[in-house]
């Protein structure tokens, strides 16, 4: 008899039953979740959120939930969520409908992650305070950043948004309209209010979804035209994250009265300029802003290059290289604190012209006003960032009385110390080179200037002299000044150092000399016999500068016909002067006027003791003022000119070095502007 086989026992059968039981339980739970009447939870949910946040929350009509594997989609049909009591507006959000996805696992650790939020006809009022409080913090402590939800995509169908941050000078309102007929950019927005305490208006279009964070989503398109104060912006491109303006790729056009206005708006400490119009490609990744292919105009001058602004370091860093094919002299005034000329002020179409220098003069109605720039250094800007920018001007036009040909400068700003080193200018077929250093770590700032003049042609320095028969020599010179101040005027009014300029042999028209020397006999000879040339043997102007007082130590102009010697001083603080010029003709002249000439008055309105005519006034004033004008304020260390006679060598030697201890000390400090500073 054959035994019956035993029933088979599969070793995994209990586990299979457990799995089946779990699957059945999960299916039941899914059915419960799917068919659960979630709206019965609306009143308890309203009460729970209100208690947790300390402010009124209400789903006014219906609550619905669509569960998913990673999270759930929650729909509020009608929602009101109040702001904290300290806020200006009563409600944070009021909307006809709100739909959002929420991640479940982050909730276990107390974090609210919302990948997508869609609002129908919302009114949103956001407010942030200087102490860190913000209305969208969901806990009772509105200053706790851990209670701020993370929102990915924001979809808005109509409605409006208010944002207030009084400590930042921001108070704006935006209105949205949605229309699918607008194609890829269906969401239209209009913004009005104040940004950085300046009037702001803006309008533009974007896609139907605004991306607040960049994780896992493609950039969204954006077009905008905005005006803040006197600054106008238009841009078109894409943005990856709206919350921190990250992942920007756009083309932009920027216009305004001065680049200096960008400091309160963007925190970039650019100098004041003439009105401008710029365009280029803008790119931002994390904290790094880059502009490629920058081109446009600053007043009457063109400009181009590449720039970058890195906000990641503790002190933001600006860098780049800029170049002008043609620089117009009218555009340099605002850089040293002067208003632009009328030509420069009106150079950019579509920008309201700022007050020109002529208008400012008329408003002041003061013919004897200060000549030296009095605009105060902006210490906040000098401390706001670091910079390393190189600028080159291939050609300089409209130079008027200062024949600049070209220029370049390397601007460095490190830990509140600004240096222009090297500074290289082509002037009158010669060269001015050196360095300027402004230490803004202290107030008043420690300012030092040390520059050289090499081989400038004198006939190009004197207005209209080129119309005469001339063959002037070349000018060499120096300026070494140091002192403390808060403006160009206050610095020069307290500076000490040495200023000198010399030239050797040359020839020029006797018409210029005799008018300047008031030699009536030579004028008659010129009329009867025509223009003759006069040989210049040597010339020198040298000043010892002691706390703003420039005392002449060697002011000599020696020709084969006449020797001019001057004594006196110029006060750079009061902008007044007094020089006595003694002319001694070397030939006999029956009409030579030997009375010394006195040049005095103010820099803005000089006077001359004898009225020899317009040409004499210009010539003698230029001789006396040559070492204190902005041109010779760019002079520096020199080598003696080629004077061949013994007395000329003595004249040039007199100008070779400072004559007083205070001037020597100031000059020595100024030369430190060229040396690396720790």
């Amino acid at each position: 008899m054959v035994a019956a086989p035993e029933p088979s026992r599969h070793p995994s059968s209990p586990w299979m039953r457990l799995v089946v039981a779990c699957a059945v339980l999960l299916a039941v739970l899914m059915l419960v979740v799917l068919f659960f009447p979630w709206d019965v939870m609306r009143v308890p949910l309203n009460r729970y959120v209100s208690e947790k946040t300390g402010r009124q929350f209400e789903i006014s009509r219906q609550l619905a939930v669509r569960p998913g594997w990673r999270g759930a989609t929650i729909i509020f049909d009608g929602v009101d969520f109040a702001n904290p009591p300290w806020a200006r507006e009563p409600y944070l959000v009021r909307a006809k409908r709100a739909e959002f996805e929420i991640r479940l696992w982050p909730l276990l650790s107390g974090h609210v992650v919302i990948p997508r939020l869609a609002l129908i006809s919302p009114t949103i009022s956001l407010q942030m305070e200087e102490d860190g409080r913000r209305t969208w913090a969901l806990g009772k402590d509105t200053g706790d950043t851990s209670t701020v939800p993370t929102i990915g995509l924001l979809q808005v169908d109509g409605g409006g948004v208010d944002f207030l941050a009084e400590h930042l000078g921001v108070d704006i309102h935006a209105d949205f309209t949605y229309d699918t007929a607008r194609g890829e950019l269906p969401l239209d927005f209009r913004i009005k209010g104040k940004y950085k305490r300046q009037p702001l208006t803006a309008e533009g279009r974007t896609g139907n979804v605004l991306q607040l964070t960049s994780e896992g989503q493609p950039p969204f398109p954006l077009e905008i035209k905005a005006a803040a104060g006197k600054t106008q912006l238009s841009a078109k491109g894409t943005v990856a994250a709206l919350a921190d303006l990250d992942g920007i790729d756009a083309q932009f056009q920027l216009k305004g009265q001065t680049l200096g206005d960008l400091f309160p708006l963007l925190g970039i400490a650019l100098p004041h300029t003439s009105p401008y119009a710029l365009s280029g490609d803008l790119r931002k990744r994390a904290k790094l802003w880059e502009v490629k292919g920058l081109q446009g105009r600053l007043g009457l001058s063109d400009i181009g290059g590449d720039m970058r602004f890195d906000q990641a370091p503790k002190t933001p860093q600006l860098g780049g290289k800029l170049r002008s094919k043609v620089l117009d002299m009218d555009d340099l005034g605002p850089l040293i604190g002067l208003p632009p000329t009328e030509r420069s002020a009106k150079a950019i179409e579509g920008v309201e012209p700022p007050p020109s220098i002529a208008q400012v003069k008329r408003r002041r109605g003061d013919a004897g006003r200060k000549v030296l720039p009095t605009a105060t250094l902006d210490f906040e800007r000098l401390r706001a960032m670091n910079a390393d920018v190189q600028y080159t001007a291939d050609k300089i036009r409209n130079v008027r009385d200062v024949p600049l040909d070209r220029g370049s400068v390397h601007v460095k700003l490190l830990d509140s110390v600004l240096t222009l080193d090297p500074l290289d200018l082509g002037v009158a077929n010669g060269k001015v080179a050196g360095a300027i250093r402004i230490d803004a770590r202290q107030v008043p700032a420690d300012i030092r200037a040390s520059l050289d003049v090499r081989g400038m042609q004198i006939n190009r320095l004197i207005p209209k002299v080129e119309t005469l028969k001339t063959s002037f020599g070349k000018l060499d010179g120096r300026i070494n000044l140091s002192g403390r101040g808060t403006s160009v005027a206050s610095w020069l009014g307290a500076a000490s150092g040495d200023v000198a300029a010399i030239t050797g042999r040359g020839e020029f028209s006797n018409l210029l000399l005799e008018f300047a020397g008031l030699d009536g006999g030579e004028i008659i000879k010129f009329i009867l016999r025509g223009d003759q040339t006069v040989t210049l043997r040597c010339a020198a102007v040298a000043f010892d500068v002691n706390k703003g007082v420039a005392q002449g130590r060697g002011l000599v102009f020696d020709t084969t016909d006449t020797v001019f010697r001057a004594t006196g001083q110029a006060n750079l603080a009061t902008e007044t002067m007094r020089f006595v010029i003694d002319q001694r003709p070397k030939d006999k002249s029956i009409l030579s006027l030997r009375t010394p000439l006195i040049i005095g008055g103010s820099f803005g309105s000089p006077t001359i003791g004898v009225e020899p005519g317009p040409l004499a006034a210009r010539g003698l004033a230029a001789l006396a003022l040559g070492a204190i004008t902005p041109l010779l304020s760019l002079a520096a260390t020199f080598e003696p000119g080629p004077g061949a006679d013994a007395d000329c060598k003595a004249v040039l030697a007199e100008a070779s070095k400072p004559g007083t201890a205070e001037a020597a000390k100031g000059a020595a400090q100024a030369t430190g502007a060229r040396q690396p500073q720790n």
Side-chain angles (χ1 to χ4, degrees):
M1 181 174 181
V2 179
E6 295 183 4
S8 62
R9 295 179 181 178
H10 198 284
S12 62
S13 295
W15 294 105
M16 288 295 297
R17 287 194 294 270
L18 180 61
V19 170
V20 171
C22 290
V24 172
L25 177 61
L26 181 61
V28 171
L29 289 175
M30 289 294 295
L31 290 173
V32 171
V33 169
L34 288 174
F35 293 102
F36 184 80
W38 289 102
D39 193 52
V40 302
M41 300 297 297
R42 176 161 50 95
V43 173
L45 180 61
N46 289 343
R47 183 169 55 250
Y48 176 80
V49 174
S50 298
E51 291 176 354
K52 282 292 185 181
T53 61
R55 40 186 156 146
Q56 185 64 36
F57 174 81
E58 182 180 7
I59 305 168
S60 57
R61 289 186 291 275
Q62 189 177 22
L63 167 66
V65 177
R66 294 199 297 265
W69 291 108
R70 299 178 59 189
T73 299
I74 301 175
I75 302 168
F76 298 156
D77 189 8
V79 60
D80 295 336
F81 190 17
N83 261 325
W86 50 264
R88 179 178 65 181
E89 300 296 332
Y91 288 96
L92 173 64
V93 178
R94 301 192 80 180
K96 290 183 179 180
R97 179 183 173 92
E99 178 178 321
F100 61 93
E101 298 174 11
I102 188 168
R103 294 281 185 258
L104 298 180
W105 290 110
L107 289 176
L108 300 178
S109 59
H111 292 91
V112 179
V113 178
I114 301 175
R116 183 182 68 89
L117 171 62
L119 299 171
I120 307 299
S121 299
T123 299
I124 304 172
S125 298
L126 308 174
Q127 186 170 334
M128 184 168 60
E129 295 296 298
E130 188 172 9
D131 58 9
R133 290 178 297 166
R134 57 203 70 193
T135 56
W136 59 95
L138 299 183
K140 291 184 178 180
D141 181 4
T142 54
D144 182 4
T145 57
S146 66
T147 64
V148 176
T150 300
I151 301 175
L153 304 179
L154 174 63
Q155 185 173 359
V156 179
D157 187 353
V161 176
D162 288 294
F163 180 73
L164 174 64
E166 288 185 326
H167 63 291
L168 300 177
V170 179
D171 186 357
I172 59 176
H173 173 79
D175 287 314
F176 296 90
T177 60
Y178 182 78
D179 187 347
T180 56
R182 298 188 184 117
E184 294 182 354
L185 301 172
L187 188 64
D188 182 276
F189 62 87
R190 297 180 183 275
I191 300 173
K192 188 174 183 180
K194 289 186 177 181
Y195 180 74
K196 300 296 184 179
R197 297 179 177 83
Q198 297 190 42
L200 170 70
T201 58
E203 61 180 33
R205 300 187 304 158
T206 183
N208 63 331
V209 174
L210 305 178
Q211 189 170 309
L212 300 187
T213 60
S214 58
E215 294 182 5
Q217 297 292 337
F220 68 93
L222 179 67
E223 294 179 1
I224 186 171
K225 291 183 178 180
K230 304 295 183 181
T231 304
Q232 305 172 36
L233 168 70
S234 61
K236 181 178 181 180
T238 58
V239 181
L242 192 61
D244 51 6
L245 290 178
D246 196 15
I248 296 177
D249 286 286
Q251 295 79 46
F252 74 93
Q253 293 84 40
L254 192 66
K255 290 183 177 182
Q257 283 192 349
T258 169
L259 286 174
D261 286 346
L262 296 182
F263 178 62
L265 295 175
L266 302 177
I268 305 176
L270 297 176
H272 286 287
T273 65
S274 298
Y276 65 91
L278 304 173
S279 63
D281 296 323
L282 176 65
R283 185 176 187 268
K284 181 178 184 285
R285 295 295 184 271
K287 297 291 186 178
L288 179 62
W289 298 76
E290 293 181 294
V291 175
K292 299 291 186 181
L294 178 71
Q295 60 182 352
R297 305 192 68 81
L298 296 178
L300 299 158
S301 307
D302 70 275
I303 193 166
D306 299 322
M307 297 293 292
R308 64 198 308 271
F309 184 59
D310 191 355
Q311 295 176 304
K314 182 179 179 180
T315 302
Q317 173 78 30
L318 177 70
K321 293 184 178 181
L322 299 173
R323 194 176 202 98
S324 294
K325 296 178 181 178
V326 179
L327 169 66
D328 195 290
M329 281 290 292
D330 277 10
D331 298 321
L332 296 182
L335 294 176
I336 59 173
L338 298 175
T341 66
E342 186 172 358
R343 293 173 63 247
S344 186
K346 296 180 179 180
I348 303 300
E349 185 178 354
V351 175
E352 179 185 345
S356 68
I357 191 168
Q359 291 172 323
V360 171
K361 286 181 178 179
R362 285 196 295 268
R363 290 175 186 175
R364 290 175 176 172
D366 181 9
R369 72 174 186 87
K370 292 275 188 177
V371 171
L372 300 175
T374 58
T376 302
L377 290 172
D378 195 327
F379 289 88
E380 181 184 2
R381 295 177 187 235
L382 292 174
R383 296 166 181 167
M385 69 179 195
N386 293 328
D388 190 337
V389 179
Q390 298 181 45
Y391 172 73
T392 300
D394 296 333
K395 181 180 179 182
I396 302 177
R397 70 182 179 192
N398 188 35
V399 294
R400 295 190 177 92
D401 295 343
V402 183
L404 285 168
D405 303 315
R406 55 163 183 79
S408 65
V409 62
H410 191 171
V411 180
K412 300 177 184 177
L413 178 59
L414 179 62
D415 298 332
S416 306
V417 178
L418 174 66
T419 59
L420 310 181
D421 184 13
L423 174 63
D424 188 349
L425 302 174
V427 184
N429 295 95
K431 180 178 181 179
V432 174
I436 297 174
R437 179 178 182 268
I438 301 174
D439 186 347
R441 292 174 296 184
Q442 48 194 315
V443 180
D446 179 5
I447 305 176
R448 305 177 184 185
S450 178
L451 301 128
D452 295 336
V453 172
R454 289 287 184 269
M456 290 197 303
Q457 293 183 351
I458 300 177
N459 61 323
R460 291 194 62 198
L461 293 176
I462 303 176
K464 300 183 180 179
V465 76
E466 288 182 291
T467 62
L468 304 176
K469 184 164 53 180
T470 61
S471 179
F472 269 125
K474 294 183 177 181
L475 183 72
D476 292 332
R478 67 167 179 265
I479 181 170
N480 289 313
L481 288 177
S482 63
R484 300 182 60 149
T486 57
S487 67
V488 173
S490 65
W491 168 58
L492 289 174
S496 296
D498 170 44
V499 176
I502 61 173
T503 185
R505 187 174 296 273
E507 293 183 346
F508 55 93
S509 167
N510 65 5
L511 176 63
L512 175 66
L513 177 65
E514 305 307 342
F515 266 47
L518 304 179
D519 193 325
E522 293 295 340
I523 294 175
I524 293 175
K525 286 192 294 182
F526 171 78
I527 294 173
L528 296 178
R529 296 187 305 178
D531 189 6
Q532 302 293 320
T533 59
V534 175
T535 299
L536 170 69
R537 298 176 62 238
C538 58
V541 291
F543 291 88
D544 288 331
V545 184
N546 184 357
K547 297 181 180 179
V549 177
Q551 181 71 46
R553 71 169 182 269
L555 307 173
V556 181
F557 191 82
D558 186 8
T559 76
T560 53
D561 290 345
T562 307
V563 175
F564 296 89
R565 289 187 179 273
T567 58
Q569 66 180 28
N571 191 313
L572 303 180
T574 61
E575 295 194 11
T576 58
M577 59 186 169
R578 179 178 173 80
F579 292 96
V580 178
I581 302 176
D582 180 29
Q583 65 266 340
R584 297 181 180 273
K586 297 181 179 180
D587 58 351
K588 295 181 180 180
S589 174
I590 59 173
L591 295 179
S592 178
L593 178 61
R594 299 181 182 277
T595 303
L597 301 178
I598 299 176
I599 295 178
S602 67
F603 294 177
S605 182
T607 61
I608 189 167
V610 178
E611 184 59 51
L615 182 58
R618 288 199 300 271
L620 291 174
L623 176 65
L625 292 175
I628 56 175
T629 60
L631 172 62
L632 286 184
S633 70
L634 296 177
T637 315
F638 71 95
E639 296 177 1
D645 300 306
D647 55 348
C648 280
K649 289 182 180 179
V651 167
L652 301 182
E654 192 176 26
S656 65
K657 59 183 179 180
T660 67
E662 186 65 30
K665 178 181 177 182
Q669 289 179 337
T671 57
R674 302 188 184 205
Q675 301 170 0
Q677 301 296 320
N678 295 324

